[in-house]
Amino acid sequence: MITYRPHPPSSTPQGSAHPGNPQFNGHSTKHAIALATPPGQENTDAGFRVESTANGSSFEHLAFFGNYTSRIDGPGKVWGELQNVSNLTFDNVWVEHTVCMFWGVHVSNVTIKNSRIRNTFADAVNMTNGSTDNLVSNVEGRGNGDDAFALFSATDSGGGANTGNVFENLTATLTWRAAGVAVYGGQNNTFRNMYIADQLVYSGITISSLDFGYPFVGFGPGLTRVENASIVRSGGHFWGAQTFPGIWVFSASKEMRGIRVSDVDIVDPTYHGIMFQTKYNGSSPENPVTDTVFINISISGAQRSGDAYDAKSGFGIWANEMPEPGQGPAVGSAVFNNLRMSNNHQNIRNTTSTFTITVNP
């Protein structure tokens, strides 16, 4: 075993990938490589710095074990913030007890595959600022402290919408502060073949056009696809009395359009199966849900919760009419083709005059 030992805890030690398409490959040694921050320290900022001159590098067959005991926004990313890099490969990587595994800013043609990312204080993988044509495949996120897998189309560091990315063959379980999978804006991105379960406070999947106060590109005009997912025992409550479903569709700061969700089973959601919600500016909705279609969706086991949020529970599909702070009734429309519902307290709840749910055979 190789132990990575940064020097004083006040410093920011990092490994470097140098020019020449290097390979950091545990299989070149007798055993796979394990790197660890000092066990006698806490919150040691350590990881790998990869410059654009090292495009084409690969990191394979290695583990990185951090010593983070609390969330600190900024440091604690094993690979990140990586900016303006391309053609990197991460294969058979195991990361635990850090803030993030990977945070990419305007990255392209990056492949993350056959890996596990566990017990982090924020996202397992997040790509932003015009990240394009990246692949995340066969990766497990467990016990992540923000969205396990996320695309966020902020433009604060340059770039435009995230486009052409594929997240596939994913497992996200026991996510403890946000969603298993989340997509915020962008177009022509695909999330497919996913098992998402036991989110503690948030949705299994978040589809949101909230900008979080950053320069940001909304959805469309190209499609955002979510395909072939099982969402089990997901949803919770957070931000006070806000409850979250198996799938949360939140039309907010920018356009919510071009959404296609197909072949999804939602089983035993904590509060509700699919929830539509809209952000308001005063008494005015900011953006409606438009051009949003669900195909071959099954929702079962949405029952009354029996807790303090019981009145917000038991709905297979809910157009949220209860104003949250700074919000109001859902606005817009969604179409369901081949919707299957069973064992729900109430299959569809829509008491609004501002949202239309169309169910076709």
Side-chain angles (χ1 to χ4, degrees), residues 313-334:
S313 68
F315 314 134
I317 298 171
W318 183 24
N320 189 346
E321 79 282 359
M322 296 182 176
E324 306 290 346
Q327 298 168 15
V331 176
S333 63

Side-chain angles (χ1 to χ4, degrees), residues 107-189:
V107 299
S108 61
N109 296 299
V110 170
T111 296
I112 303 172
K113 62 183 180 179
N114 306 324
S115 296
R116 68 192 92 177
I117 307 154
R118 298 174 174 173
N119 304 318
T120 61
F121 278 91
D123 309 63
V125 175
N126 192 313
M127 297 181 183
T128 183
N129 281 273
S131 291
T132 60
D133 300 326
N134 301 292
L135 173 66
V136 180
S137 182
N138 194 30
V139 179
E140 178 211 41
R142 188 180 76 186
N144 305 117
D146 212 303
D147 301 314
F149 302 99
L151 285 174
F152 177 44
S153 282
T155 60
D156 57 309
S157 295
N162 294 329
T163 63
N165 301 288
V166 175
F167 284 58
E168 66 179 11
N169 307 333
L170 305 179
T171 300
T173 58
L174 296 170
T175 320
W176 56 268
R177 195 178 183 272
V181 170
V183 54
Y184 304 92
Q187 61 176 328
N188 301 322
N189 299 302

